[in-house]
Amino acid sequence: MANIKCCIVQLQLLALISVALAAMHETVAASPWSPATVVPVARGTTSTPLPGDPNTRFGDMYVIDDPLTEGPSATSPAVGRAQGFYLFLSQHELAAMHYLSLVFTAGRYNGSYIVIQGRDTIPAKVRELPVVGGVGRFRGATGYGLLRMHSFDSTTKNAVLKIDMYLNNMK
Amino acid sequence: MANIKCCIVQLQLLALISVALAAMHETVAASPWSPATVVPVARGTTSTPLPGDPNTRFGDMYVIDDPLTEGPSATSPAVGRAQGFYLFLSQHELAAMHYLSLVFTAGRYNGSYIVIQGRDTIPAKVRELPVVGGVGRFRGATGYGLLRMHSFDSTTKNAVLKIDMYLNNMK
Amino acid sequence: MANIKCCIVQLQLLALISVALAAMHETVAASPWSPATVVPVARGTTSTPLPGDPNTRFGDMYVIDDPLTEGPSATSPAVGRAQGFYLFLSQHELAAMHYLSLVFTAGRYNGSYIVIQGRDTIPAKVRELPVVGGVGRFRGATGYGLLRMHSFDSTTKNAVLKIDMYLNNMK
């Protein structure tokens, strides 16, 4: 999120029928060796900062393009990208809405993507995000993801998040 | 909408199986006793104002976080929040697209939310908005909402809108 | 897209049950005889231009309201509008995410609309876009669209794109 300078996000796809693993690497602050994977595109106008994150305001919008890898390590093999945007749409809590596609460019889901649209109450232990669409092997898929913080480095602001995806109607 | 300074929105959930009532209170202009629940985050560039609302332009985007209550009264018990954004995406009519979650924090749907994504032709008597996803008790739910203007105060710009939600596949 | 000054987009609805034809006319640069149907509302902050389009950046957002006609000709009878927005959400390729409604105002789908949310890898020959919702005759519909470039005029920047929509569960 906005105050996370470089977060590594682990993503697990646990289909009700089949299972896949992936990881998502998010970089807010660009460095010579790591370009930003998150860019702010719009700012809210409320002067009240959100709880737990004084740099984030109600209405802030970020576009993301994070590498997806098989596991939580930054050197884990790439399987795709997590692309979309999120909006801080709560006045009173640190919560964002994700409008996100998990785009696979390698592995068993190569050429397929899932569209997720759901609410991320960032301090919560588990966040449920519904699947709204899918393409390729995910065409017609329904289901949801459970998002969890795996680890967080308060110095580097690196984070590891996991999503367990529960999918029906996969091809 | 953009020219509605403080609107009270009644929301009814009329599931095909079960029924719930809620209300949505939208405040565009902040006051000492009522913070803004709608913030503009992006502006369109077309100089032509939309019909019926000279302050709104094609491309304008607003983020909202409105209280949800059981009934249309401002003092009705709170049941959650309506959070998301809308975009004025018509050049020739006063119409917005809603990308909205109805987040319940009390009552029988506490901890659940519905994701709605649909078109609001504001002057129309009834607007149909499809459900694209749901979480918790709304996990896997399908259906739609019918949005209606309940009342409008031209002085305060307060409005009361109702949504009747017709849902299938609820838990 | 951003460097397409005026594109004519042909749209075909090929339902699994029923078939319809439509066309979408997109104008980025306004002229006395043709108002802009695409407006930029937010800009990304990355300095790296996207491949194949130096004017477009990761994070750019556009709102669109394109005429829909029966066929690819600019003089083909109007059947509605394609309204929504798209975001350039890839750092390394010319790819946009569409959040789009196909709104019919004439013909056999008059009063109905489909909501599409999917990824457009612009140089690709075929792009699959999932349906996430529908209203009226598309209420409860599921399916997807296949988007193809039909023709492109490098001088006028006019383009003709086709979408073949494959829909289930139509009324």
Side-chain angles (χ1 to χ4, degrees), chain B residues 45-68:
Chain B
T45 57
T46 303
S47 58
T48 312
L50 295 179
D53 188 349
N55 297 319
T56 301
R57 303 191 303 185
F58 168 49
D60 286 357
M61 176 177 174
Y62 293 83
V63 173
I64 69 167
D65 176 12
D66 297 344
L68 280 176

Side-chain angles (χ1 to χ4, degrees), chain C residues 71-96:
Chain C
S73 161
T75 57
S76 183
V79 293
R81 313 291 294 190
Q83 300 182 330
F85 70 99
Y86 53 81
L87 270 173
F88 286 90
L89 38 56
S90 178
Q91 291 180 286
H92 304 298
E93 59 179 336
L94 193 59

